[in-house]
Each structure stands twice: as C-alpha cells, then as structure tokens.
Amino acid sequence: MGVRFEGQVVVITGSGAGLGRSYALEFASRGAAVVVNDPGSAVDGSDGEPAVADQVVELIRSLGGKAVASYESVVTEAGADAIVETAVNEFGRLDALVNNAGILRDRALHNMTTDEWQGVVDVHLGGAFHMTRAALKIMRPQGYGRVVYATSNAGLFGNFGQSNYAAAKAGLLGLSRVLAIEGERYGIASNVVAPVARTRMTEDVLGEFVQRLGPESVVPMVVFLASKECDRTGRVYSAAGGRYSEVITGLTTGWVASTAAPGPEDIAANLPSIEDNQGYLLPRSVFDELAQIKAALAL
Ligand code: NAD
C-alpha cells in the first residue's frame, strides 16, 4: 500500500514555488486533498507573482488530484485562520500542516534594520505560530494531527548575514518541541525538517554543488513526517541531497563541581571535561533534562 493520504487533507504554506510546490505535488499524487497556500511573494517578501498557487492547483487537477488555492499570508492571525478555513470549507477536515512559507532579508547583524529583522521573524516564526494555533482548533478535537516545520542549517549552525532568519528558524525548534509535548495526548505529532535543496532561495548560495540537491530529495522526509505512519514526535531531521540525519540537541555528561557555587576560574580550568562529548545526553523535554541533572548530582 505504501504511504497514502486518501481521505486526508494537507495544508502546505508557501507551496506555489520551490520545495512547497514539490511537497504539494507529492501529497496530491498520494491521494491527499491539498491546500496550496501562497500569496506569490518574491524571495524578500515583496510582491511577486500572485498566480503561482493557481498554477500548482491546475497542475495537480490536470494529473487527477485534489487541490484548492489559498492566497493569504501566514503573517497575520486572520490570514492563518482563513487558510485553515479553506481546508475545512473545501474538504471538511485538516490532517497535516506543513509550515514551509519563507522569505530572506540577509544583512550582517550590525547593519540589519528593525524592519528586516521583524519581517523575517514574522513570516517564519510568527507565521508558524499563527498557523499551528489555527490548526489545533481542528486537530485537538479530532484527536489526530501531523505538523511539520521547516528549519534551516543557518538556524542550527549559524550563517553569515542571516541573524534574522537563523533566529526565526531556531525558534521553530522550540515551538515544535512544545507542540510535541502538548499535542501528545491528542494524537498530534510535531517534527522539524532542515532541508538543503536548489530553489530560487538558495541557487546563489549553493554554487556548483547545486545539481545533486533537487527538492525531490527533501520531499520523502516531509511526506513521511506528515503521514499517519510517522510515530516520531519532537524530532529534527536533516534532508540534503539524499543524506538523511537526525539533528540532535544533546549535552555532554559534563563536569560536576564539588561545591554549589564554583568560581569562574573553576569553569575555565574544567572546560575540557565540560566539553568532552563522549557519552552525551539527549533530553527530550525539560523534565528529561531535570532528571538527568538530578542523576548527575546524585540527588
Ligand atoms: P521559495 O522562495 O522557493 O519558496 C518559499 C515560498 O513561500 C514562496 O512561494 C513564497 O511566495 C512563499 N511565502 C513567502 N511569504 C509567505 C507568506 N507570508 N505566507 C505564505 N507564503 C509565503 O523557497 P524554498 O527554498 O522552497 O523554501 C521553502 C522553505 O524551506 C522556507 O521556509 C525556507 O526557509 C526553508 N529552507 C529551504 C532551504 C533550501 O535549501 N531551499 C534550506 C533551509 C530552509
């Protein structure tokens, strides 16, 4: 049978172009009814090509699939509510949400304007918040949901000129992990993907490496995480040109001070033990981490 979506409804933000478009086509080919959301922005979020959502919908329908266009921006609460309402009004339910919409306004931190900062945070982090809260109104009562967020290597590892983008993308990890914990009792799983793929957003960055890195290598990870087959939650996965990895947030086992209040000199002297990453710990929640601290301190 494979991973199928018959009877399921998937909303994908920013799916008129790039990775989102590839996700939309794959979900539809696997039986999902898809809401293709995209206002058709340029890479920097300014006005672009409003017809992109319609074009993806037409293509899906011409291939025998089910899709409807939505042109709202994820930036406002009203926009996000309208995107979710489109799913419910057209197809009667909502099973999976892929938070994919994104823009870039790169500049070195010392020169970044408040508008450049806020605009990028509003789309990636604010948009994902508005969309998730709107989706929860449907997913919690129905006792099922899959939410996928798009982070970035810039947010995980840092990248010159992308303080706004990296901060927003790193913020999504926290948002997703909290949703994973809060959503568990309602059958809602939440995971994050860090894609690397050739799109208009990255074609100038990836250089000659680009040819191997088409969106198609990211698609299967996103489709799996949005499916009922996905039994993972609170995870972060990298999908890059055919290499798939879990991105882990861990702690070294650390150095345990002999007093509760060591001095900065003790920290400096013990950095090699503090940083020794043999036998690292992988807490999956704040409670996990507190339990690990208690164990280290033998409390
Ligand atoms: P893209 O520019 O091709 O697609 C992004 C889409 O989001 C566009 O169609 C755009 O119109 C839409 N969008 C912008 N603002 C929106 C808004 N307010 N509401 C709804 N839609 C909006 O870029 P892409 O490379 O396909 O990126 C998709 C996602 O993946 C983004 O979140 C991006 O940050 C992330 N990502 C991509 C890569 C990569 O290698 N391509 C790497 C890391 C992260």
Side-chain angles (χ1 to χ4, degrees), residues 253 256 281 287-299:
T253 50
V256 179
L281 304 165
F287 286 111
D288 266 9
E289 159 67 340
L290 288 175
Q292 289 169 1
I293 295 169
K294 274 174 79 176
L297 299 178
L299 292 175

Side-chain angles (χ1 to χ4, degrees), residues 10 17 26 34 39 42 49 57 64 79 97 108 111 125 135 172 177 187 191 216 232 235 239 247 256 261 297 299:
V10 182
E26 185 69 16
V34 178
E49 220 188 308
V57 169
L97 165 65
N111 283 326
L125 191 54
L172 293 172
R177 287 184 174 135
N191 293 286
E216 62 279 359
R232 300 292 199 273
R235 306 287 180 121
V247 181
V256 179
L297 299 178
L299 292 175

Side-chain angles (χ1 to χ4, degrees), residues 17-273:
L19 285 163
R21 178 180 184 279
S22 298
Y23 304 152
L25 291 168
E26 185 69 16
F27 279 114
S29 78
R30 289 173 179 270
V34 178
V35 176
V36 178
N37 161 254
D38 208 308
S41 311
V43 174
D44 68 358
S46 59
D47 292 347
E49 220 188 308
V52 288
D54 289 329
Q55 289 161 5
V56 175
V57 169
E58 280 163 30
L59 179 55
I60 289 173
R61 289 181 181 162
S62 73
L63 295 167
K66 280 189 217 157
V68 65
S70 139
Y71 316 97
E72 310 284 341
S73 166
V74 297
V75 164
T76 64
E77 179 177 352
D81 286 347
I83 297 166
V84 168
E85 277 161 26
T86 299
V88 175
N89 292 343
E90 289 288 326
F91 301 122
R93 52 186 291 126
L94 171 62
D95 299 282
L97 165 65
V98 181
N99 288 290
N100 167 78
I103 64 168
L104 290 180
R105 289 180 190 167
D106 292 1
R107 199 178 303 280
L109 178 52
H110 64 283
N111 283 326
M112 182 159 292
T113 67
T114 304
D115 282 351
E116 287 164 345
W117 168 270
Q118 201 60 50
V120 167
V121 171
D122 282 351
V123 173
H124 293 274
L125 191 54
F129 162 68
H130 292 308
M131 286 302 303
T132 305
R133 196 178 46 180
L136 287 175
K137 288 180 203 158
I138 312 295
M139 291 177 175
R140 272 169 47 111
Q142 79 189 3
Y144 177 82
R146 296 285 179 268
V147 181
V148 183
Y149 298 91
T151 189
S152 157
N153 281 351
L156 298 171
F157 309 120
N159 197 24
F160 190 95
Q162 294 198 310
S163 55
N164 49 0
Y165 180 69
K169 288 305 204 188
L172 293 172
L173 269 62
L175 176 59
S176 177
R177 287 184 174 135
V178 170
L179 176 61
I181 291 166
E182 294 182 358
E184 196 172 11
R185 78 176 72 159
Y186 302 99
I188 298 167
S190 177
N191 293 286
V192 181
V193 171
V196 180
R198 177 188 64 247
T199 65
R200 64 177 190 172
M201 195 184 262
T202 52
E203 59 196 355
D204 298 336
V205 191
L206 297 175
E208 59 197 41
F209 193 35
V210 296
Q211 292 315 328
R212 277 210 56 206
L213 303 180
E216 62 279 359
S217 68
V218 182
V219 170
M221 179 60 83
V222 169
V223 170
F224 168 70
L225 294 174
S227 73
K228 56 185 183 317
E229 280 77 6
C230 175
D231 60 357
R232 300 292 199 273
T233 193
R235 306 287 180 121
V236 183
Y237 298 100
S238 164
R243 189 211 59 186
Y244 304 93
S245 304
E246 184 180 3
V247 181
I248 51 181
T249 303
L251 287 87
T252 63
T253 50
W255 165 70
V256 179
S258 54
T259 93
E265 300 78 10
D266 300 311
I267 301 297
N270 286 285
L271 275 179
S273 310

